[in-house]
């Protein structure tokens, strides 16, 4: 009947829209080919197309990250306009689902608000005490940044900056430890950690101190 036909078309349209939304969430929007006119792909063709799409996406993201980093370096976090730009950059990285860009931008902003020295000793007790103190200083720096807003509007914008920096690092934490993929960049909130050479005694001590700091109530942190 006409009613059944219309209902079937409506269901088909909803399925099509849902399929497109799922592809967009998976980062495949704009990459689907018309199988009806192209025919079925071979495994070699599929691999070639996938690699090409990935390379193009990485190239676009490299340009976007370089632009975001350049803009972040110019941001004045003591002004309302600067805080607005900072919030926009962080929010964009979260909306785009690009963890590396968000981390690069967040590290710049944290460096503008907080100074920390990773030290040159590998003594585990010394490193643990220094990192515990650094975390307290970072917390105080964020609280100070929030309190210094000159108006309710600016305080709200500053709160968004802090919240979205936290969200960026939470995404990095989850990706690195559970969901993947493995991150190619250093994701510590302390900018000085990025200069520590991987595999050194200092790096190992920092890793152990960080893991112990995140373990609570016998809940083990995997890294």
């Amino acid at each position: 009947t006409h009613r059944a036909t219309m209902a079937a078309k409506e269901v088909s349209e909803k399925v099509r829209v849902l399929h497109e939304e799922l592809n967009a969430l998976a980062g495949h929007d704009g990459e689907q080919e018309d199988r009806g006119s192209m025919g079925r792909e071979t495994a070699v063709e599929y691999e070639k197309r996938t690699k090409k799409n990935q390379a193009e996406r990485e190239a676009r993201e490299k340009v976007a990250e370089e632009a975001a980093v350049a803009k972040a370096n110019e941001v004045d976090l003591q002004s309302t306009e600067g805080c607005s730009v900072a919030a926009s950059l962080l929010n964009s990285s979260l909306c785009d689902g690009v963890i590396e860009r968000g981390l690069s931008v967040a590290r710049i902003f944290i460096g503008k608000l907080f100074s920390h020295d990773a030290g040159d000793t590998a003594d585990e007790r010394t490193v643990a005490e220094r990192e515990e103190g650094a975390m307290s200083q970072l917390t105080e720096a964020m609280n100070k940044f929030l309190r210094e807003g000159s108006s309710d509007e600016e305080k709200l914008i500053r709160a968004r900056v802090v919240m979205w920096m936290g969200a960026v690092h939470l995404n990095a934490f989850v990706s690195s430890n559970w969901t993947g993929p493995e991150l190619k960049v250093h994701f510590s909130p302390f900018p000085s950690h990025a200069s520590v050479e991987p595999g050194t005694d200092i790096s190992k001590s920092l890793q152990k101190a960080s893991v112990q700091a995140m373990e609570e109530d016998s809940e083990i942190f995997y890294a």
Side-chain angles (χ1 to χ4, degrees):
T1 65
H2 177 70
R3 182 176 297 178
T5 301
M6 294 300 296
K9 288 183 178 180
E10 183 177 350
V11 170
S12 177
E13 177 63 16
K14 288 182 178 179
V15 170
R16 184 189 66 78
V17 172
L18 178 59
H19 181 68
E20 290 180 353
E21 290 177 348
L22 289 174
N23 279 327
L25 289 172
H28 302 316
D29 50 318
E31 298 175 4
Q32 301 300 307
E33 295 184 12
D34 184 357
R35 294 293 185 273
S37 60
M38 298 285 292
R40 180 174 295 179
E41 280 184 313
T42 65
V44 174
E45 289 172 338
Y46 173 78
E47 182 180 5
K48 182 178 180 180
R49 178 174 62 83
T50 302
K51 288 182 177 180
K52 178 184 177 182
N53 289 334
Q54 182 178 356
E56 290 175 350
R57 185 156 59 252
E58 289 178 351
R60 290 195 301 269
E61 176 48 36
K62 182 178 180 181
V63 173
E65 181 173 344
E66 289 175 349
V69 167
K71 187 175 290 186
N73 280 318
E74 297 176 354
V75 165
D76 177 12
L77 290 176
Q78 300 307 314
S79 69
T80 302
E81 181 181 359
C83 290
S84 295
V85 173
S88 177
L89 290 172
L90 290 165
N91 184 48
S92 293
S93 70
L94 289 167
C95 290
D96 293 344
V98 185
I99 296 176
E100 287 85 352
R101 189 205 312 164
L103 287 171
S104 297
V105 170
R107 185 178 296 119
I108 292 172
F109 296 150
I110 292 175
K112 292 175 180 287
L113 300 172
F114 170 74
S115 177
H116 169 254
D117 182 7
D120 56 3
T121 178
D123 179 73
E124 291 183 0
R125 183 173 181 178
T126 301
V127 170
E129 291 176 350
R130 184 175 60 244
E131 294 305 299
E132 183 179 356
M135 185 58 70
S136 297
Q137 294 170 24
L138 176 60
T139 301
E140 177 54 34
M142 294 298 107
N143 287 331
K144 182 174 182 290
F145 174 67
L146 292 172
R147 292 194 301 267
E148 289 179 342
S150 59
S151 64
D152 290 341
E153 180 184 1
E154 184 176 336
K155 288 180 180 178
L156 178 60
I157 297 173
R158 288 178 178 232
R160 288 172 181 159
V161 172
V162 174
M163 178 179 67
W164 286 332
M165 282 196 291
V168 164
H169 285 92
L170 177 60
N171 282 351
F173 179 88
V174 173
S175 176
S176 178
N177 291 280
W178 288 289
T179 63
E182 182 179 356
L183 298 178
K184 300 178 182 179
V185 297
H186 199 287
F187 57 88
S188 168
F190 300 133
S192 60
H193 284 179
S195 63
V196 177
E197 289 293 331
T200 61
D201 289 340
I202 295 177
S203 175
K204 293 176 182 178
S205 294
L206 284 171
Q207 173 76 1
K208 185 174 182 179
S210 299
V211 170
Q212 290 176 343
M214 286 184 280
E215 291 180 351
E216 186 175 353
D217 298 331
S218 299
E219 292 291 336
I220 298 176
F221 167 75
Y222 296 92

